[in-house]
């Protein structure tokens, strides 16, 4: 692993902005500098070159949104891409990258939104972002929208779930990855998030007690971010 890593977390949280640092920071080695910026408030660093890696967080916003901050984020990430700074998108970040490099038709409102802990199956064995992973693992998922129909010439689909065909991807030939699931969430924070979703969207008829009882988490976040830092 290279020395002097400096990671930028793009905080896209809408309702609880500022929480990304607390969720992601524990998964990085203490020797790694991890800074965050309130992207959902339109705040982005002026000197993108100060960072070696960028993580794009989840959000309640849509990757298809034309809100000013989302447009600014696309522009910021394009700069990072052109400078070959490794980028990892999570949930909304995953979807945003899919739209940026695949087109607006590559994201949609899912007919089968995922909430709870899901089995994720790797489709490729040798991608560096998943070095050391089991073929199947479990992680928390929470999303209404999803990535679909990525152009094969530009993307490699790396993982899927029963109801989500693109749970992870890489932009071919570039250090750009997306993961739909939330390995960064601990069990307790995931349970709180699930309860909030159930209360806010009663039409989903989520049985939180049953979902939590059946919960399995392979705790893959440290390995995911360790692999990302090697990019």
């Amino acid at each position: 692993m290279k020395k002097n890593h400096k990671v930028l977390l793009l905080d896209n949280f809408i309702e609880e902005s500022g929480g990304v640092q607390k969720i992601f920071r524990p998964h990085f080695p203490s020797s790694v500098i991890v800074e965050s910026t309130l992207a959902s408030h339109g705040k982005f660093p002026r000197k993108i070159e100060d960072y070696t890696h960028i993580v794009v967080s989840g959000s309640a916003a849509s990757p298809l949104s034309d809100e000013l901050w989302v447009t600014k984020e696309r522009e910021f990430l394009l700069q990072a891409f052109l400078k070959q700074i490794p980028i990892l998108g999570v949930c909304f970040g995953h979807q945003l990258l899919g739209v940026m490099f695949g087109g607006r038709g590559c994201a949609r409102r899912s007919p089968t939104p995922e909430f709870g802990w899901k089995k994720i199956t790797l489709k490729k064995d040798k991608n560096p972002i998943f070095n050391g992973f089991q073929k199947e693992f479990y992680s928390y998922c929470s999303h209404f929208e999803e990535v679909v129909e990525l152009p094969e010439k530009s993307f490699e689909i790396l993982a899927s779930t029963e109801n989500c065909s693109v749970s992870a991807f890489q932009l071919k030939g570039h250090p750009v990855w997306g993961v739909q699931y939330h390995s960064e969430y601990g069990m307790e924070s995931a349970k709180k998030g699930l309860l909030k979703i159930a209360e806010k969207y009663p039409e989903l008829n989520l049985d939180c007690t049953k979902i939590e009882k059946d919960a399995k988490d392979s705790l893959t976040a440290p390995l995911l971010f360790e692999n990302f830092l090697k990019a």
Side-chain angles (χ1 to χ4, degrees):
M1 189 182 299
K2 298 177 184 178
K3 295 182 179 180
N4 303 320
H5 283 116
K6 189 174 182 181
V7 177
L8 176 65
L9 301 176
L10 296 186
D11 185 342
N12 297 311
F13 285 11
I14 303 295
E15 298 177 353
E16 297 180 8
S17 61
V20 160
Q21 179 77 219
K22 182 173 68 174
I23 292 172
F24 282 86
R25 184 63 184 92
H27 303 302
F28 288 93
S30 59
S31 59
V32 175
I33 298 172
V34 180
E35 296 182 353
S36 61
T37 187
L38 295 175
S40 59
H41 292 197
K43 296 181 179 180
F44 300 91
R46 291 185 179 180
K47 293 185 66 177
I48 198 170
E49 301 88 352
D50 287 348
Y51 301 94
T52 61
H53 295 75
I54 296 175
V55 176
V56 190
S57 85
S59 179
S62 168
L64 300 172
S65 172
D66 290 321
E67 290 183 73
L68 180 59
W69 73 267
V70 179
T71 299
K72 281 186 172 182
E73 184 156 330
R74 293 191 190 104
E75 294 171 353
F76 182 81
L77 290 171
L78 181 58
Q79 292 180 47
F81 168 75
L82 293 174
K83 294 181 182 297
Q84 286 290 289
I85 298 173
I87 303 170
L88 175 63
V90 177
C91 198
F92 165 83
H94 161 88
Q95 298 160 8
L96 188 66
L97 291 170
V99 169
M100 282 180 58
F101 297 107
R104 294 179 68 87
C106 292
R108 68 175 183 184
R109 187 82 168 181
S110 173
T112 53
E114 295 181 309
F115 297 98
W117 291 261
K118 306 297 180 181
K119 181 171 71 174
I120 298 157
T121 303
L122 295 182
K123 302 172 77 69
K124 301 288 183 180
D125 295 330
K126 296 183 179 180
N127 192 277
I129 202 71
F130 288 121
N131 279 347
F133 277 63
Q134 297 294 316
K135 174 78 173 177
E136 296 180 345
F137 61 96
Y138 291 83
S139 191
Y140 181 67
C141 296
S142 180
H143 64 102
F144 283 104
E145 292 177 279
E146 65 179 355
V147 171
V148 291
E149 298 180 1
L150 293 172
E152 292 184 10
K153 66 178 182 180
S154 301
F155 290 87
E156 183 175 21
I157 298 174
L158 305 177
S160 63
T161 67
E162 181 180 2
N163 292 313
C164 181
S165 61
V166 187
S167 287
F169 66 72
Q170 180 178 9
L171 187 63
K172 288 182 178 179
H174 300 281
V176 177
W177 291 271
V179 295
Q180 180 60 72
Y181 60 91
H182 290 282
S183 64
E184 74 278 7
Y185 276 34
M187 187 66 77
E188 291 307 311
S189 59
K191 287 179 179 179
K192 289 179 182 178
L194 180 65
L195 184 59
K196 287 182 180 179
I197 290 291
E199 292 174 346
K200 188 173 182 178
Y201 303 99
E203 66 273 17
L204 292 173
N205 294 315
L206 295 175
D207 186 342
C208 294
T209 301
K210 184 180 186 306
I211 294 173
E212 291 177 11
K213 183 180 179 181
D214 296 336
K216 295 180 182 179
D217 196 323
S218 300
L219 305 176
T220 58
L223 183 55
L224 178 71
F225 293 116
E226 177 183 334
N227 289 339
F228 178 55
L229 289 177
K230 294 177 181 176

